[in-house]
Every structure is written in structure tokens, then in C-alpha cells.
Amino acid sequence: SSQVWATGRDLARIGQLYLQDGVWGNERLLPEDWVQFVRTPAPAQPASGAGYGAQFWLMNNTAGVPEGTFYAAGNRGQYIVVIPAVTAVVMRQAFDVIGGAQFDINRFTADVVTALNAADAARATERAAADAVSAAEAAAAEERGRRKLIQR
């Protein structure tokens, strides 16, 4: 059977385990270098589409997706995508109808990466603005203190 009876949270945990190089908490659950092994292209590769590692598909040639991204594809639309470059796991649990429209995991992953990068940029802008306000407040406080000394 190709069925794995797992919750979305279970599938995300599998992805997180691979994102953390096979370590959960302080315990190594997967052999050292195993994650690198599954991310390494196998000697024989498909003529087109996703590359293949060891039990994982590779998104190394997908526009908008960082190099080193890999994924497990399950039955009828189940995906666990590990994106080390942005420290993220994307999990999709679905029931795609056989013969129906195919879900585009490559496009979805690229969209998620774009959103994560935009959120990071927005947070960096907010931090810079907050730092500028703090610096201005500190400079103003220093100036007030200097003026008080002069008045005495």
C-alpha cells in the first residue's frame, strides 16, 4: 500500500526532523550525513522535471526555489517540502482526484519562499525603523542632559 496514516502535524514533524539534520531535541535520530545523502542527486536522473536523491525529490532547478530544497511526494497530493535556505518546512495534506488537476508543488513552494522572504524584509525594515527611533530618542535624551549641565 502507498498509504501512510499520519496527521498533518506528523508529516510536518518528519520535515522538521530532516530540516534539523536528523536531530530532535538533543538526540540524533537519523545517521550523521543521512540528510545530505538524501539531498544528493542520484547517479541516474529523470530527463526532465524534479531531480531525484535518495527517497526524496530535488527542487534544484525550480525557479524561485532555493538550491538544496528537497521534498517527499506521497499519494494523491501529500507533500513534505524541506527548504533549508529559509529554515522552513512546507507540508501539504490533500486528496487529489486521480485524473484531475495536478497540484503544482513547485509553484506553491516558490510562492511560500517569496512570502517568507517578503516577511523577513518587512521585519528588517521594522527593526531598522525601531532602531532609528531608539537612536533618536537616545540622542535627544543625551542633548537634554547636556543642556541641563550647561544651565547649572
Side-chain angles (χ1 to χ4, degrees), residues 23-117:
V23 176
W24 196 267
N26 294 323
E27 186 177 357
R28 174 159 290 287
L29 301 180
L30 299 175
E32 215 168 312
D33 297 327
W34 178 256
V35 174
Q36 183 57 43
F37 173 68
V38 303
R39 293 172 43 175
T40 301
Q45 290 294 309
S48 64
Y52 196 71
Q55 301 175 345
F56 280 82
W57 293 98
L58 312 175
M59 284 191 184
N60 290 341
N61 298 316
T62 303
V65 176
E67 187 80 15
T69 299
F70 60 104
Y71 68 100
N75 190 29
R76 296 202 178 175
Q78 318 306 318
Y79 291 98
I80 303 170
V81 183
V82 182
I83 317 168
V86 293
T87 317
V89 172
V90 175
M91 187 284 307
R92 178 180 190 253
Q93 191 171 33
F95 188 81
D96 294 347
V97 177
I98 294 175
Q102 290 289 320
F103 181 77
D104 188 349
I105 191 62
N106 294 335
R107 179 77 257 144
F108 184 74
T109 301
D111 289 346
V112 168
V113 169
T114 297
L116 290 172
N117 287 337

